[in-house]
Amino acid sequence: MRLSVPRWLALSPSRAVAFAGVFLTLSGVLLAEHAMVIRQVRDDGLPAYVTIPALERRLAVLTEQVEVSELQRSLAQGSAEEMIRSFVLPEKPDIDRVLGLIELMRDQLEEAKMLRAMSPVHVGGDAETGGVSSVLASPVSFHAELTEEGWGQVRLLFQLSGLVTVGDALRSDELQRLLDATEQENPAGIAGVEHFLSTPLLRYVREPRSFEEEVRRSFSSPVFEETFADLLQHSLLSDARRFFTGPLGQEVIRRKFWPMRFLTLERVSIEPKEGGWSRIGIEMQAYSRKEN
Amino acid sequence: MDFMDATPVIAGRRIVESAALPLCVFSFSLTVLLTFSWAVILPQFTQFDVDGRSLTASALLEHRDDVELKIDVAQARRDELLLSSHDESYLALKGKRESTIDPDVIRRDVAAIARADAGPEGRILLTEIGIDMEQGNVHVKGEARGGPGSMTTLASFVERLRNASIVASLIPPVFERRQTAKGDFFSPFSFAFALRSSEDAL
């Protein structure tokens, strides 16, 4: 008996070769797909897989911090915002307050023998400033003969002008360092850090230790302590503590010039004189908000 | 006809005819096996388990990008909550102040370079340093003293200043040598240089 092969299976050799060609091509494509998938896993998948747990932990920490900060913010009052609107960037140019501050600075530095002469103060009209479109800037200029220490006090006065809270006194990189340390040590400690940063600068300089201790209580590692101590020592906070415990700072508080108007030094000329004195030319700008 | 007696063309055709079906069966089997591997086996070894989900490498990359985006959003929100004010004018002015270099840093740097050029005879006497923080320009005036070599002292000072990290570009002064009534030589100078911005320094 002879086995009959079904008609559709009865391949002619040429058809069989053609099918073999098609199957081999398909096999080649599938092999290439295997290689591509394995390469993708090696080059992209594994490195990403290794980083994802750390990223997810960071996201969880940040989400927790945002929740805590939002809760804290809802309880806090907008006093800093108010101070900025009323004193730092008022809607009226209010140049008499700026002149009052310069006069006070002159009297105090003269009394401390850090200033021996000062020119009349020139005040220009309000003008739009190149950098920030929503404010007006009043140019103010004068010359003063100052000692090194006196010039330091004048510079500090400008640096502290316009600041309201502890957070305002920190540069963005300093703030970032503090937040990074918080994330690493105790994410929930953001509440303490946030309270510290939103403390009015004047309250902080009056009793720095209590506010600093409040932050320290949330963290225990020496790494955080080191970062925090470095920040307190080398940021403007340290200068602010020094300034407000000195006679000029005390007088600024007593005469209610705090919070100060936002002032920036635009141009400075320094002519060294005999005996450690310098004739300093100052061109500054006092800012106010454009009226709506 | 014996196989060995056939001509090479006929022998080749016979080889193909006899190998065609096995080749077809082999390639078909290979394709089936590879398809099975691609569809069933490969995913078992090349997918990643994340939060109870199996993700391919490309899906994993998308997931990582998504987490990174969420981190950026959460970080921006947290930083925003830490600011004392959301007043745009105030924040812009604070940014402007932060990007401005301290005039005393410039004065100290220029004075230190001037002191470094003080040789046994020569010295640089700075009579005025003008700093325009807005434009980022500094104007320096003074005198180089150093006997007959005062111009060399001045050139050395200018060169050191040009190479200083705070200087982006410098317009050199006019070099001239003058003599006082007493016969001392000096070279007055007045020149300007542009400050390197913090972005340039990076």
Side-chain angles (χ1 to χ4, degrees):
Chain A
M1 194 176 122
R2 199 175 158 187
L3 265 173
S4 63
V5 177
R7 204 181 156 79
W8 59 273
L9 259 179
L11 285 173
S12 66
S14 57
R15 274 192 183 174
V17 169
F19 277 123
V22 169
F23 289 134
L24 283 175
T25 309
L26 268 174
S27 300
V29 170
L30 285 165
L31 272 174
E33 275 289 316
H34 276 69
M36 200 186 74
V37 169
I38 290 166
R39 196 184 306 127
Q40 207 177 21
V41 166
R42 187 196 64 191
D43 296 346
D44 304 330
L46 281 174
Y49 189 64
V50 171
T51 55
I52 280 174
L55 289 174
E56 285 187 331
R57 270 198 304 278
R58 175 128 206 271
L59 180 61
V61 164
L62 283 168
T63 310
E64 187 187 339
Q65 288 189 334
V66 167
E67 281 167 9
V68 173
S69 298
E70 273 173 346
L71 184 69
Q72 185 103 344
R73 171 57 65 105
S74 67
L75 299 171
Q77 296 182 359
S79 57
E81 206 87 43
E82 256 321 297
M83 279 193 198
I84 290 167
R85 290 214 152 261
S86 310
F87 301 103
V88 176
L89 280 176
E91 283 205 347
K92 287 177 184 165
D94 200 12
I95 207 71
D96 52 337
R97 204 169 144 82
V98 177
L99 289 175
L101 185 67
I102 294 172
E103 216 170 4
L104 175 124
M105 177 189 80
R106 175 194 183 147
D107 293 345
Q108 285 301 310
L109 293 180
E110 221 163 23
E111 204 177 303
K113 310 231 179 298
M114 294 179 197
L115 183 148
R116 67 180 181 190
M118 189 167 148
S119 72
V121 178
H122 297 276
V123 180
D126 293 340
E128 291 197 3
T129 170
V132 186
S133 58
S134 49
V135 295
L136 292 173
S138 307
V140 179
S141 60
F142 60 91
H143 281 85
E145 286 195 23
L146 294 156
T147 60
E148 189 72 23
E149 205 181 337
W151 171 223
Q153 290 279 298
V154 173
R155 285 197 335 271
L156 200 48
L157 186 85
F158 279 97
Q159 284 173 336
L160 293 171
S161 71
L163 306 186
V164 178
T165 63
V166 168
D168 292 336
L170 297 177
R171 288 197 318 265
S172 47
D173 60 317
E174 292 168 337
L175 207 56
Q176 198 53 54
R177 267 178 60 211
L178 182 63
L179 294 176
D180 288 347
T182 309
E183 267 181 44
Q184 283 158 21
E185 165 70 14
N186 175 15
I190 192 77
V193 171
E194 195 187 351
H195 186 242
F196 176 68
L197 294 175
S198 59
T199 304
L201 191 59
L202 204 56
R203 277 189 67 199
Y204 165 72
V205 295
R206 280 177 173 155
E207 39 177 342
R209 207 161 277 276
S210 67
F211 290 104
E212 290 165 11
E213 283 311 313
E214 202 180 313
V215 175
R216 284 193 176 100
R217 271 201 292 276
S218 307
F219 304 91
S220 56
S221 85
V223 178
F224 180 86
E225 173 54 35
E226 202 179 309
T227 307
F228 190 54
D230 184 62
L231 212 63
L232 295 175
Q233 211 172 346
H234 296 110
S235 67
L236 195 56
L237 288 178
S238 151
D239 297 320
R241 289 194 300 268
R242 198 160 37 85
F243 180 81
F244 285 109
T245 47
L248 178 55
Q250 290 286 314
E251 204 57 21
V252 166
I253 299 168
R254 199 185 67 77
R255 301 263 297 269
K256 299 195 182 340
F257 278 110
W258 184 265
M260 293 188 272
R261 274 283 286 280
F262 206 107
L263 310 171
T264 55
L265 278 173
E266 297 296 308
R267 272 169 285 278
V268 170
S269 65
I270 304 162
E271 295 172 50
K273 301 278 178 195
E274 295 295 316
W277 291 88
S278 297
R279 184 172 190 268
I280 314 271
I282 291 172
E283 286 181 42
M284 56 180 247
Q285 284 188 327
Y287 294 93
S288 58
R289 192 181 302 275
K290 259 190 204 171
E291 284 183 61
N292 294 323
Chain B
M1 192 170 60
D2 191 37
F3 181 76
M4 295 302 288
D5 297 337
T7 60
V9 176
I10 294 167
R13 193 179 294 154
R14 286 193 177 167
I15 292 169
V16 170
E17 278 172 4
S18 54
L21 195 61
L23 182 69
C24 183
V25 171
F26 165 74
S27 56
F28 174 72
S29 311
L30 185 66
T31 307
V32 168
L33 275 173
L34 284 172
T35 308
F36 179 73
S37 162
W38 184 71
V40 180
I41 302 170
L42 198 62
Q44 300 281 325
F45 296 100
T46 56
Q47 289 200 344
F48 299 89
D49 197 25
V50 177
D51 300 335
R53 289 181 299 154
S54 284
L55 301 177
T56 60
S58 55
L60 194 71
L61 286 179
E62 278 173 27
H63 178 68
R64 188 189 61 184
D65 292 347
D66 185 44
V67 174
E68 280 176 343
L69 187 71
K70 282 180 183 163
I71 286 176
D72 289 345
V73 171
Q75 195 167 356
R77 177 71 184 138
R78 184 200 60 184
D79 294 353
E80 190 189 319
L81 286 165
L82 287 173
L83 295 172
S84 64
S85 165
H86 299 109
D87 188 319
E88 281 180 21
S89 310
Y90 182 66
L91 295 177
L93 284 175
K94 275 202 335 183
K96 178 186 171 178
R97 179 185 281 168
E98 199 174 303
S99 63
T100 308
I101 193 164
D102 183 350
D104 213 49
V105 170
I106 300 161
R107 184 193 69 149
R108 275 189 272 120
D109 281 6
V110 174
I113 293 168
R115 272 198 303 278
D117 274 300
E121 287 180 19
R123 73 188 176 102
I124 298 290
L125 188 73
L126 295 169
T127 55
E128 188 180 341
I129 303 174
I131 306 157
D132 186 334
M133 266 85 79
E134 179 76 18
Q135 302 294 323
N137 294 328
V138 179
H139 195 242
V140 186
K141 281 186 195 171
E143 283 176 15
R145 294 179 183 173
S150 62
M151 277 196 343
T152 315
T153 306
L154 175 58
S156 161
F157 170 58
V158 171
E159 212 42 48
R160 274 174 185 270
L161 206 52
R162 194 198 296 275
N163 296 327
S165 59
I166 55 164
V167 178
S169 62
L170 182 148
I171 304 161
V174 175
F175 292 90
E176 61 168 331
R177 195 178 73 184
R178 290 189 199 164
Q179 218 169 354
T180 62
K182 287 181 183 172
D184 296 331
F185 291 104
F186 71 99
S187 294
F189 62 83
S190 172
F191 64 93
F193 63 83
L195 288 168
R196 194 183 294 274
S197 69
S198 49
E199 286 85 14
D200 292 343
L202 287 173

